[in-house]
Amino acid sequence: MSASERVGGQVANYVDERTGAAKWLKKNLTKVFPDHWSFMLGEIALYSFIILLLSGVFLTFWFDPSQREVLYEGTYQPLSGLKMSAAYVSTLHISFDIRGGLLMRQIHHWAALLFMTAIVAHLLRVFFTGAYRKPREFNWIIGVGLLTLGIVEGFLGYSLPDDLLSGTGIRIAEAIIQAMPVIGSYLAFFAFGGAFPGDTFIPRIFTVHVLLLPGIFLALITVHLMLVWYQKHTQYPGPGRTEKNVVGYPLMPIYMAKAGGFFFIVFGVIALLSALASINPIWLYGPYTPGQISAGSQPDWYMGWLDGLVRMAPPIETHAFGHTISWNILVPGLIVPGILFTGMALYPFIESWFTGDKREHQLLDRPRNAPNRTALGAMSLTFIIITILNGGNDIIATHFSLTINQIMWFSRIGIFLLPPLAYVITKRLCLSLQRADRDLVEHGRETGRLMMTAEGEFIEVHEPISKEKAWMLTQHEQLTALEHVTEDEHGIRNPKTMGGKLRARLSRADAEQIQKPGGDSHKEIDSY
Amino acid sequence: MSHELEPITDPGLPDHVHRAADTDPVAEKRAERQVAILFALSAIGTILFIASYIYIPTTEFIFLPVLGSTNAHELFLGLGLGLSLLFIGLGAVHWAKTLMPDNEIIAERHVMRSEDVDRKGFVDTVKEGAAASGLGRRSLIKRSLGLSLGLSALTPLLFLRDLGPLPKKQLETTNWKTGTRLVTDPGDRAIKASDLEVGAVAQVLPQLLTGEERTLSNIGKDAVLLIRLRPEEFELSPERLSWTYEGIIAFSKICSHMGCAVALYEQQTKHLLCPCHQSTFDVPRAAKVIFGPSARPLPQLAITVDSEGYLIAQKPFSEPVGPSFWERSS
């Protein structure tokens, strides 16, 4: 017995005699996880979160969450002698006087951007592969919650330094609150402790940013991971992979090394990025005052869609009975985001409603084999991309010599035209890819070898593809539309159900698919 | 050359292909060395970090291509930290990929649904528990409990009441009163019409009474932009024209859309543009909205001069400034 084995045995014994966890640990330390690069997107989000906690704690040691007005007499000469909030002064202090402080600020901000990017990429992976289907609907909803909280947390975080850029963002947030019918002005006054900007919002959002939201994050992430653990990870289809098994590598030692190593890689990349790429240089923006602003004001990228929506809203307000309703704020600022996030959260249930599919799914879909879902995803993405582009319309205008008016009108019209177009094109693309798959299975792959027949005709020799590949291309389910959904369980047509008609229509759209080869269709095929 | 297509079935996991390090001791040694080198590089990164911390002064700047002038202290701290962490990660992953076993393992899944007997037991337990509490039978308890729970839910609302004052008339009013002098921001100097050339723009605030302190909340609604045009350039109603003085027109600087500072003035076109959402206001036509999401012109402040020739407000704003709100009447 080697020394390391002996120590390992002693540790295991020590732990088990005090917890009785041997059985549980044995089972879980050898837990099998499937391997795929796209499964690392969620990991990146998790590691970024840990990095955010570490760097955030560092920043709180010097950050002063206060709007007390002070005269700056610090090391950064250009702002010397200016009045500014203690929060802004302490951010300058961290940036210029604390060794590694600027680096840590940059790590915190870059990690936040990566956190949101990884969450969105992970969400897209989960959506396009259908990983949210039963039994994982809860985890999808938790994920949508984490995305929403992440947007809020990021916004509050970059507002803390109380600089001119972030203060402008807070001003806009206040206007959205104030625009709410009936309760708006009251909510705004309660949130800001009086008229905007007041002197209480920095300490308040500080508590929310460092205590309340991180606490909720920790709880939700824990449940998210426990569910992944308990339900076992989904896997991509392939030879030997079924709905009843999971094929991969054990946690110990493979994933401990790989995932542990990956944490260091993510941290290392963020540190390098933070060393080399400047982010949020608040000393250039100056302290916040409501009377000033800088041109090209841009939020962080994950807020861009909201800003873009607000920018493209037509100038409509209703004034009636001594009251005002600002549709130009309410629709892009609250109503559309509400519909987007509610729709996203409920999508697993909507899909299972119109497909009638209540089974568990452990094998992921190849996006082309679920054309309707893939097209819906492309449609939503197109919508969001247009809003993000419009959120940067001033930057795009200056960089590409366009006018803001051109971009705005492109967005206002495009937001209605392009998403449906993306749906149609994506669906056609998926079906074409399915046809290509079928061709490959039926006719084999092109070898590039030309042959002349006895008649003098040239043909290209095709070669059958491997068993594994053929299985990969044909393992998916042939979708079928629901029948009789406009009738009740006794087969009686129910003309009243709008829902039934909608369901039948969605179900038909969903079942549009190319007949796959193989199985019972014994076809005579040629080699070309 | 034609053949029957076999029915396609799952061929099962492909045969395991061994890596070089699994079969060749030389390759195994090489992989081991590579991992060790990666870890050693990490150590070098940490040494760079420590050395930068000690030896590079925080005031040292260096010029790097693309990056420009950069604080050397922070740059090398970051590079050292980044390399130190990155190579630990690369080493660990390389170790896992080359030297740890790479046999794929098949584990069975279980369905989420419990066994029928457990499900029934669960339902029975819930039913028994509910019956034992007697909640179904004792409607008096049920109703009084519902009442008390519902009422106690109101307490957080009251607790949060002191977060802020009631808005009262604060959103409708500003500190501009009849006769308030316009003073420069920054500087707080009263100004005369002659201080402003044609085409010039200035930000002004209401003059403070002695003892008054200017808060950001005040600036947030008091900020006013003065623009001087040639009087013949105005296309205003007679009333609005009487609110100007010798070609000087005053607007609230707080955007009527979402309250950003409307700070971009285009001298050629005489447009005011809000950089937040690009609402564009036409100055000669009383800041009429000609583009963007804002639904209202910027409120105009009526100005004139006092006996000493200093610019003053004729009267308060005739409408609330800033973004809309429910109680706003026009």
Side-chain angles (χ1 to χ4, degrees):
Chain A
M1 196 192 277
S2 75
S4 65
E5 276 172 7
R6 199 168 59 244
V7 173
Q10 280 166 356
V11 170
N13 177 52
Y14 188 91
V15 170
D16 184 56
E17 283 186 348
R18 280 154 188 82
T19 61
K23 195 175 158 199
W24 186 87
L25 282 172
K26 179 197 167 294
K27 192 171 129 217
N28 283 291
L29 283 175
T30 54
K31 193 168 182 77
V32 171
F33 284 90
D35 216 11
H36 193 270
W37 66 266
S38 70
F39 298 161
M40 301 200 299
L41 297 168
E43 257 182 88
I44 298 177
L46 174 67
Y47 300 151
S48 307
F49 180 72
I50 297 169
I51 295 163
L52 283 167
L53 289 182
L54 295 174
S55 53
V57 169
F58 178 93
L59 294 175
T60 58
F61 292 155
W62 292 278
F63 181 68
D64 179 4
S66 152
Q67 276 166 295
R68 184 167 39 86
E69 196 175 64
V70 287
L71 202 65
Y72 183 65
E73 286 165 331
T75 40
Y76 186 63
Q77 288 305 315
L79 292 178
S80 194
L82 248 61
K83 281 192 202 162
M84 53 189 72
S85 68
Y88 189 76
V89 170
S90 64
T91 312
L92 291 176
H93 180 62
I94 294 173
S95 305
F96 293 111
D97 305 319
I98 303 298
R99 280 183 283 180
L102 176 59
L103 178 68
M104 207 56 104
R105 267 195 61 225
Q106 306 226 93
I107 287 178
H108 198 65
H109 206 134
W110 274 118
L113 291 197
L114 188 67
F115 180 57
M116 294 309 297
T117 312
I119 287 181
V120 171
H122 175 58
L123 180 143
L124 292 176
R125 195 282 293 174
V126 167
F127 180 81
F128 282 112
T129 58
Y132 54 78
R133 290 172 296 174
K134 189 181 170 186
R136 296 184 176 78
E137 300 96 326
F138 290 163
N139 241 6
W140 171 262
I141 291 178
I142 292 173
V144 172
L146 285 168
L147 170 71
T148 317
L149 288 181
I151 293 173
V152 177
E153 178 75 343
F155 175 72
L156 295 184
Y158 74 68
S159 297
L160 281 174
D162 202 21
D163 57 282
L164 188 55
L165 180 62
S166 71
T168 304
I170 288 285
R171 169 81 252 201
I172 295 168
E174 194 270 350
I176 294 179
I177 299 174
Q178 193 176 303
M180 287 189 216
V182 189
I183 52 169
S185 342
Y186 291 88
L187 275 188
F189 267 64
F190 290 161
F192 286 83
F196 178 84
D199 52 10
T200 48
F201 82 86
I202 292 282
R204 284 180 184 176
I205 65 177
F206 179 73
T207 307
V208 175
H209 179 78
V210 306
L211 179 71
L212 182 61
L213 288 182
I216 299 176
F217 264 111
L218 275 174
L220 288 182
I221 290 175
T222 308
V223 177
H224 201 69
L225 292 179
M226 278 168 62
L227 278 170
V228 169
W229 197 277
Y230 182 65
Q231 295 178 331
K232 298 199 172 78
H233 208 289
T234 51
Q235 58 188 351
Y236 280 96
R241 288 148 200 256
T242 69
E243 294 281 3
K244 298 213 160 16
N245 70 12
V246 49
V247 180
Y249 303 106
L251 175 72
M252 189 170 163
I254 307 291
Y255 277 104
M256 281 189 174
K258 275 191 174 177
F262 193 47
F263 167 73
F264 283 95
I265 291 176
V266 171
F267 205 162
V269 168
I270 289 178
L272 290 178
L273 203 55
S274 308
L276 295 170
S278 172
I279 187 168
N280 203 26
I282 51 111
W283 55 90
L284 297 181
Y285 308 147
Y288 179 65
T289 155
Q292 286 173 10
I293 197 161
S294 59
S297 291
Q298 288 287 318
D300 274 3
W301 79 265
Y302 48 84
M303 295 293 290
W305 61 277
L306 189 57
D307 205 38
L309 275 172
V310 173
R311 286 179 189 207
M312 74 174 78
I316 300 170
E317 276 185 357
T318 307
H319 304 280
F321 308 110
H323 292 292
T324 298
I325 301 175
S326 307
W327 301 109
N328 53 351
I329 297 176
L330 287 174
V331 171
L334 289 171
I335 297 173
V336 172
I339 293 172
L340 286 178
F341 279 80
T342 311
M344 185 153 63
L346 295 182
Y347 189 72
F349 308 101
I350 298 172
E351 189 187 75
S352 115
W353 171 67
F354 67 66
T355 56
D357 187 351
K358 313 287 179 204
R359 298 164 302 166
E360 284 191 9
H361 290 277
Q362 315 292 354
L363 280 180
L364 297 170
D365 278 331
R366 298 171 75 218
R368 69 183 62 177
N369 291 333
N372 189 54
R373 176 198 302 141
T374 307
L376 281 174
M379 185 171 100
S380 316
L381 258 185
T382 309
F383 182 90
I384 289 296
I385 288 171
I386 295 171
T387 60
I388 291 180
L389 285 179
N390 196 57
N393 58 2
D394 43 348
I395 307 293
I396 295 173
T398 51
H399 279 65
F400 297 95
S401 305
L402 295 165
T403 68
I404 282 175
N405 308 44
Q406 287 165 341
I407 303 169
M408 189 88 93
W409 278 107
F410 168 82
S411 310
R412 279 178 177 174
I413 299 168
I415 200 81
F416 292 104
L417 288 186
L418 296 180
L421 192 65
Y423 177 90
V424 173
I425 292 174
T426 311
K427 196 155 184 188
R428 294 297 118 192
L429 273 177
C430 287
L431 294 175
S432 293
L433 286 168
Q434 287 185 17
R435 280 194 201 94
D437 282 353
R438 191 179 64 178
D439 275 1
L440 211 53
V441 175
E442 286 183 343
H443 304 297
R445 67 178 187 91
E446 297 170 359
T447 57
R449 274 184 290 128
L450 291 182
M451 235 171 59
M452 194 171 73
T453 62
E455 290 82 35
E457 185 188 11
F458 284 95
I459 56 166
E460 185 182 1
V461 179
H462 284 223
E463 200 168 71
I465 53 175
S466 69
K467 287 194 309 259
E468 285 79 15
K469 178 113 195 213
W471 171 246
M472 183 72 186
L473 299 183
T474 54
Q475 48 72 34
H476 60 279
E477 253 189 330
Q478 196 77 54
L479 302 171
T480 45
L482 286 177
E483 283 170 27
H484 310 307
V485 287
T486 46
E487 296 167 5
D488 65 16
E489 61 267 32
H490 307 298
I492 312 293
R493 251 186 105 76
N494 185 352
K496 274 185 295 189
T497 55
M498 280 271 290
K501 280 184 191 157
L502 178 68
R503 190 176 174 204
R505 189 161 163 65
L506 285 168
S507 168
R508 275 203 307 279
D510 192 70
E512 225 176 300
Q513 204 188 31
I514 304 300
Q515 181 63 44
K516 66 177 187 178
D520 43 320
S521 62
H522 292 256
K523 268 201 195 159
E524 185 79 5
I525 61 159
D526 290 324
S527 60
Y528 57 88
Chain B
M1 269 189 66
S2 62
H3 60 270
E4 283 278 298
L5 184 71
E6 295 288 317
I8 299 165
T9 51
D10 185 355
L13 267 193
D15 289 335
H16 182 63
V17 182
H18 284 289
R19 297 161 301 187
D22 292 335
T23 50
D24 180 4
V26 180
E28 189 188 345
K29 269 279 165 243
R30 188 167 56 232
E32 196 179 341
R33 263 199 317 276
Q34 286 165 344
V35 173
I37 289 172
L38 288 169
F39 285 148
L41 286 173
S42 156
I44 293 173
T46 309
I47 292 168
L48 173 68
F49 177 83
I50 296 170
S52 316
Y53 196 89
I54 298 172
Y55 295 113
I56 303 180
T58 50
T59 49
E60 183 83 26
F61 276 77
I62 55 165
F63 184 83
L64 289 178
V66 186
L67 298 180
S69 182
T70 304
N71 183 294
H73 181 78
E74 302 284 328
L75 174 69
F76 285 102
L77 275 188
L79 289 179
L81 178 67
L83 297 177
S84 152
L85 296 167
L86 183 64
F87 282 115
I88 292 179
L90 291 177
V93 171
H94 194 60
W95 180 13
K97 289 186 83 127
T98 54
L99 292 168
M100 292 183 188
D102 73 334
N103 298 52
E104 281 194 306
I105 295 173
I106 301 179
E108 295 304 312
R109 287 183 191 274
H110 56 97
V111 281
M112 284 302 123
R113 196 188 152 94
S114 309
E115 299 288 329
D116 281 345
V117 53
D118 292 332
R119 288 160 62 93
K120 187 172 177 309
F122 169 63
V123 172
D124 289 347
T125 310
V126 173
K127 276 186 185 157
E128 277 166 28
S133 74
L135 206 61
R137 284 178 288 117
R138 301 185 206 282
S139 64
L140 182 63
I141 290 186
K142 197 160 73 180
R143 283 182 197 150
S144 52
L145 177 66
L147 176 75
S148 56
L149 280 178
L151 274 181
S152 70
L154 291 175
T155 53
L157 291 181
L158 290 176
F159 270 124
L160 292 176
R161 166 61 191 86
D162 277 346
L163 277 174
L166 296 179
K168 301 235 168 69
K169 287 286 162 200
Q170 283 201 60
L171 288 171
E172 279 97 336
T173 54
T174 68
N175 293 307
W176 292 102
K177 314 231 158 51
T178 306
T180 306
R181 272 188 183 165
L182 282 60
V183 295
T184 57
D185 176 38
D188 278 336
R189 279 178 293 104
I191 49 173
K192 295 184 170 174
S194 55
D195 294 338
L196 219 59
E197 288 170 27
V198 170
V201 187
Q203 178 179 321
V204 293
L205 292 168
Q207 188 172 42
L208 293 174
L209 301 173
T210 35
E212 269 185 340
E213 187 105 31
R214 195 178 314 278
T215 64
L216 290 184
S217 301
N218 285 340
I219 298 176
K221 55 183 184 179
D222 292 343
V224 159
L225 214 52
L226 289 185
I227 300 160
R228 183 160 195 175
L229 306 179
R230 275 184 288 275
E232 64 270 21
E233 288 170 327
F234 287 126
E235 300 169 38
L236 299 171
S237 65
E239 191 203 4
R240 288 303 185 96
L241 196 61
S242 73
W243 290 5
T244 67
Y245 182 77
E246 288 184 0
I248 301 176
I249 189 163
F251 295 112
S252 164
K253 198 185 180 183
I254 308 304
C255 189
S256 52
H257 177 222
M258 296 180 107
C260 295
V262 184
L264 301 182
Y265 177 60
E266 219 179 20
Q267 223 176 23
Q268 296 294 316
T269 54
K270 303 181 183 63
H271 291 164
L272 269 172
L273 182 104
C274 176
C276 282
H277 305 107
Q278 283 92 42
S279 295
T280 311
F281 305 91
D282 192 24
V283 172
R285 287 189 285 165
K288 181 180 149 79
V289 182
I290 52 170
F291 186 73
S294 183
R296 288 181 286 108
L298 297 171
Q300 186 184 344
L301 181 68
I303 55 166
T304 184
V305 289
D306 60 13
S307 53
E308 295 171 56
Y310 288 111
L311 289 170
I312 55 164
Q314 282 185 31
K315 52 181 180 174
F317 274 109
S318 58
E319 56 178 317
V321 303
S324 296
F325 49 97
W326 172 250
E327 294 85 356
R328 197 194 146 94
S329 55
S330 61

